[in-house]
Amino acid sequence: MDLRDIKGIGDKLASRIINHFGSQEEFFKAASNYEVYRLASMEGISQRRAVEIINTVLGNPSEEFLKTERAVQIYEEIVQRIIHYTNTEYAKNRVLLLGPGKNPELIQKNLEMVMEAKEKAAHLPRDELRNLFKNVNFSQATRPRYDTSKAILVESREDYSSLMDRELNQYAQIIHIQEVGSLDEFELVVYVYRDGALELDNTPNLAMVNCDAEDLEIVPEIVLSYYHENQILLENILKIREILGYPSVLGDVLSILDSLKASGVDEKSFDTAVNQAKERADKELEDAIKKVDLSGVEVLDLLNKGMSPKIQEIFDKILKDTVKKIKYDTGVSFDPFIQKYPLEIDEQELERIKKQELGKEYVRVFEEKVNAASQLYLLKGEVEKEIQDVLEFDYKFALGCFAYYYDLHAPQMGDGFCFKEGLHLNLAREDSSYIQRINYALESPDNVALLTGANSGGKTTLLETLAQISIMSQMGLPVCAREAQVKLVDELYFFSKKRSLDAGAFESFLSTFMPIVVREEDKLILLDELEAITELEAAVKIISSFINFIQDSESFAVIVTHMAREILKNTAVRVDGIEAQGLDEEYNLIVDRTPRMNYFARSTPELILRMVYEKSDGKLRDIYGKMLERF
């Protein structure tokens, strides 16, 4: 596919998308990974447009089903409710791309997945999982930083060029053997040898690696940086997988990472150990020498030859104990003192030892990193799969939570629309003691019905509930009803209330509305008080003609109207009613919101007028009272 093959993408927009993603191939890769927000982040591309473009790439164009703006809005409201339960960008993108279809097998497969997810969500620690998901998303691709404390040493120009071609110079300085000066300026030197021609016996910070070694054996950070950068992610993925009972290699991965210790050598610890040992030895020497009894000959020898055997013996014993103590404190056996009183620290020897031990430690850490990188490199594929599995779980978990919290149930596919104890999603999470669930059916041969009744009685809510059940069923989702039978249709139309239209707008409406009847596709058409579009007499004729066309098709329609009597004069059609039965003690309408089939409900405007009258005061109450006298 070429970007320009997508409806609505011309040369200009295609160029902008390519510039945004870096290449056309990168865009299609992002689309296959459901990355809606990445496309929607472009200036001038809305979330809805981004969804349309990526759905087209994936072969899921939802606009074929949702044929009016209100139908699209109801669909988007459903999607936003589900997104509330997502935790990751991946899950959000997947939900945004979850569109209605008509393939029964795919719908049933998705429905079974959601019902299984609902059951699982009911028994999982949902709050704990959501907290863990706060630090879960795609893993970050990383590159190691350039390390100025490290050098890579090579023997030949050929090897130098080879490492440059492998771009290892991006991670550390590469030095040719002929350019070697002092290697002391580096903490670590990795000698990539071919013949081993360079004599570097007195270089404790030297690690030797064969020139045929893999990149990770020279720069293990190429592998390790990915794991260090994503360690918190991996820790959370492991915890989630443990909660879900999924197997994981991440325990081993994190153990390997924990085994990598930073340098265990602290230069200051050598200085501290030596200074403390000197202070202690000086005190011991002073006390011991005070007790020495020298003969005249020994004094003469001391003057002529220097150290007397008795004093030398004292120095030897105390220095031997001091060296032992230094080894205990530093782990290294060395004598950093010049025999004098008080003792003098041999700074050159001390620096030599520190350099030697630090070099050894840097080499040890490097070798541990190479070993760890070799193991982790082999696990990278499994790690990425485990991350992907958890991201996929978040998508299913969101659907499951949505179904769980809204108490959704699986619909059955049938030849009409019928539901029991249905509920609008806006009401599904309200206090159930104040909410009335409703029943309704629209089945052949009564594939068209007029819906009559009181204002504020729930007629529009019923239409929206029916639209939600239809859309959710074709999305492969359970619906907000205890039982439901749904016909899979090709198109859904929802025309909502409008103010009176001028001539131009009315013509535009007709050109959109009336062609519906000549389309052969199966449709669900929901019309909400279209009598407001023009004069009442014209509206009656338009709606009556429309009903006659739809009755002779495989489509279904519900029409909310206050003109049922007039319409019935022009055509025979089933009439259902939602009727207000009175006012309660607080002057609220008492309504049985389940429509009565084949029943002409009164709109009872006097009840609404009385409700307003009882809740008003002053002059306004007097006016409403005078109006009531006319009923």
Side-chain angles (χ1 to χ4, degrees), residues 204 261-265 356-366:
K261 299 181 178 64
S263 174
V265 177
Q356 170 187 294
E357 295 307 311
L358 280 171
K360 289 180 180 178
E361 181 66 10
Y362 292 138
V363 171
R364 182 195 67 77
V365 170
F366 171 76

Side-chain angles (χ1 to χ4, degrees), residues 49-270:
R49 181 64 178 130
V51 169
E52 289 175 356
I53 291 172
I54 292 184
N55 259 329
T56 301
V57 174
L58 298 175
N60 308 320
S62 60
E63 63 269 18
E64 293 180 5
F65 176 74
L66 305 167
K67 305 304 290 188
T68 62
E69 181 62 25
R70 184 61 188 132
V72 172
Q73 288 172 355
I74 292 172
Y75 160 73
E76 290 179 342
E77 288 163 6
I78 294 167
V79 167
Q80 288 305 315
R81 290 178 193 277
I82 303 172
I83 283 178
H84 172 75
Y85 296 101
T86 62
N87 304 286
T88 61
E89 287 299 311
Y90 175 85
K92 289 178 184 177
N93 291 332
R94 286 294 306 271
V95 170
L96 285 170
L97 295 169
L98 181 62
K102 201 187 174 185
N103 185 315
E105 292 181 0
L106 293 179
I107 289 172
Q108 188 61 36
K109 182 179 178 181
N110 200 72
L111 183 58
E112 290 172 0
M113 178 271 288
V114 177
M115 294 306 294
E116 182 181 334
K118 175 188 174 184
E119 177 67 21
K120 182 172 286 190
H123 298 94
L124 286 172
R126 295 179 295 278
D127 291 340
E128 182 181 356
L129 281 170
R130 298 199 76 167
N131 284 330
L132 288 172
F133 267 114
K134 289 178 182 177
N135 291 309
V136 169
N137 224 309
F138 291 106
S139 60
Q140 298 296 313
T142 61
R143 291 174 62 90
R145 294 180 180 178
Y146 186 88
D147 189 350
T148 57
S149 69
K150 176 180 177 179
I152 302 172
L153 182 63
V154 295
E155 295 176 353
S156 67
R157 291 293 178 188
E158 179 185 353
D159 291 338
Y160 182 90
S161 297
S162 174
L163 296 190
M164 291 291 286
D165 291 342
R166 289 156 66 176
E167 299 185 343
L168 296 186
N169 60 306
Q170 295 183 15
Y171 312 118
Q173 183 179 352
I174 301 176
I175 303 173
H176 186 264
I177 195 169
Q178 294 178 351
E179 300 170 351
V180 172
S182 172
L183 297 178
D184 293 346
E185 60 182 292
F186 300 103
E187 290 179 356
L188 177 71
V189 177
V190 179
Y191 179 14
V192 182
Y193 68 91
R194 183 175 298 276
D195 301 319
L198 193 60
E199 296 291 337
L200 296 168
D201 294 338
N202 295 320
T203 310
N205 61 337
L206 186 75
M208 298 188 69
V209 178
N210 189 280
C211 63
D212 295 325
E214 300 290 337
D215 290 355
L216 67 83
E217 296 178 77
I218 301 170
V219 185
E221 289 80 9
I222 291 173
V223 172
L224 297 179
S225 62
Y226 166 86
Y227 288 94
H228 288 310
E229 183 70 24
N230 293 290
Q231 185 159 353
I232 293 176
L233 166 65
L234 301 183
E235 289 169 354
N236 281 278
I237 293 289
L238 177 59
K239 290 175 184 175
I240 291 170
R241 294 185 73 88
E242 288 173 344
I243 290 172
L244 301 178
Y246 292 177
S248 179
V249 299
L250 293 176
D252 294 336
V253 167
L254 294 172
S255 294
I256 292 170
L257 291 177
D258 290 342
S259 71
L260 293 177
K261 299 181 178 64
S263 174
V265 177
D266 180 3
E267 288 187 74
K268 293 182 179 179
S269 68
F270 280 84

Side-chain angles (χ1 to χ4, degrees), residues 401-540:
C401 286
F402 172 60
Y404 172 76
Y405 285 112
Y406 280 84
D407 191 24
L408 307 183
H409 298 267
Q412 300 295 318
M413 303 305 137
D415 295 325
F417 296 88
C418 177
F419 61 85
K420 296 180 180 180
E421 296 190 50
L423 205 55
H424 193 289
L425 290 174
N426 283 354
L427 305 174
R429 300 203 63 190
E430 300 292 332
D431 185 343
S432 59
S433 62
Y434 295 97
I435 302 299
Q436 180 188 352
R437 289 180 171 270
I438 59 175
N439 305 325
Y440 195 61
L442 188 68
E443 300 171 296
S444 295
D446 294 322
N447 60 325
V448 182
L450 300 182
L451 186 59
T452 63
N455 290 327
S456 303
K459 300 188 297 297
T460 299
T461 300
L462 173 60
L463 286 195
E464 292 181 355
T465 302
L466 186 55
Q468 289 175 350
I469 289 173
S470 174
I471 292 170
M472 291 168 69
S473 296
Q474 298 204 204
M475 290 172 74
L477 298 176
V479 300
C480 200
R482 300 295 184 202
E483 297 179 22
Q485 177 181 288
V486 179
K487 176 180 172 65
L488 300 182
V489 295
D490 298 305
E491 299 174 344
L492 172 64
Y493 294 84
F494 194 122
F495 291 93
S496 55
K497 300 177 185 178
K498 292 186 178 182
R499 297 178 181 177
S500 297
L501 304 178
D502 59 31
F506 180 53
E507 179 184 356
S508 176
F509 168 76
L510 288 177
S511 65
T512 302
F513 178 63
M514 294 310 296
I516 295 172
V517 300
V518 299
R519 294 175 64 86
E520 295 182 359
E521 291 82 356
D522 293 349
K523 298 170 283 289
L524 173 61
I525 306 155
L526 305 171
L527 310 177
D528 193 5
E529 295 187 27
L530 290 189
E531 52 259 38
I533 60 177
T534 185
E535 295 86 355
L536 290 181
E537 185 177 349
V540 168

Side-chain angles (χ1 to χ4, degrees), residues 518-575:
V518 299
R519 294 175 64 86
E520 295 182 359
E521 291 82 356
D522 293 349
K523 298 170 283 289
L524 173 61
I525 306 155
L526 305 171
L527 310 177
D528 193 5
E529 295 187 27
L530 290 189
E531 52 259 38
I533 60 177
T534 185
E535 295 86 355
L536 290 181
E537 185 177 349
V540 168
K541 293 177 180 178
I542 291 170
I543 293 174
S544 299
S545 300
F546 176 78
I547 290 172
N548 292 334
F549 286 121
I550 295 299
Q551 284 176 324
D552 295 331
S553 72
E554 297 296 320
S555 296
F556 293 79
V558 180
I559 304 169
V560 171
T561 181
H562 291 287
M563 303 186 308
R565 294 186 191 280
E566 290 76 10
I567 293 172
L568 288 173
K569 294 175 183 178
N570 292 271
T571 188
V573 62
R574 191 183 90 188
V575 179

Side-chain angles (χ1 to χ4, degrees), residues 284-348:
E284 290 176 5
L285 285 170
E286 181 182 356
D287 293 343
I289 291 172
K290 284 180 181 179
K291 299 174 183 178
V292 174
D293 183 14
L294 297 177
S295 66
V297 174
E298 288 173 326
V299 172
L300 290 174
D301 286 342
L302 183 61
L303 294 171
N304 294 323
K305 300 177 182 178
M307 192 77 69
S308 74
K310 287 183 179 180
I311 294 177
Q312 183 65 55
E313 185 180 347
I314 292 171
F315 265 93
D316 290 344
K317 181 180 182 306
I318 290 174
L319 286 177
K320 182 178 180 182
D321 292 340
T322 300
V323 168
K324 285 183 180 179
K325 183 64 172 65
I326 291 174
K327 182 179 181 181
Y328 178 81
D329 290 339
T330 65
V332 182
S333 179
F334 69 101
D335 181 359
F337 300 115
I338 298 171
Q339 287 191 21
K340 290 183 178 181
Y341 180 79
L343 292 174
E344 184 178 322
I345 297 174
D346 186 340
E347 297 292 347
Q348 286 187 336

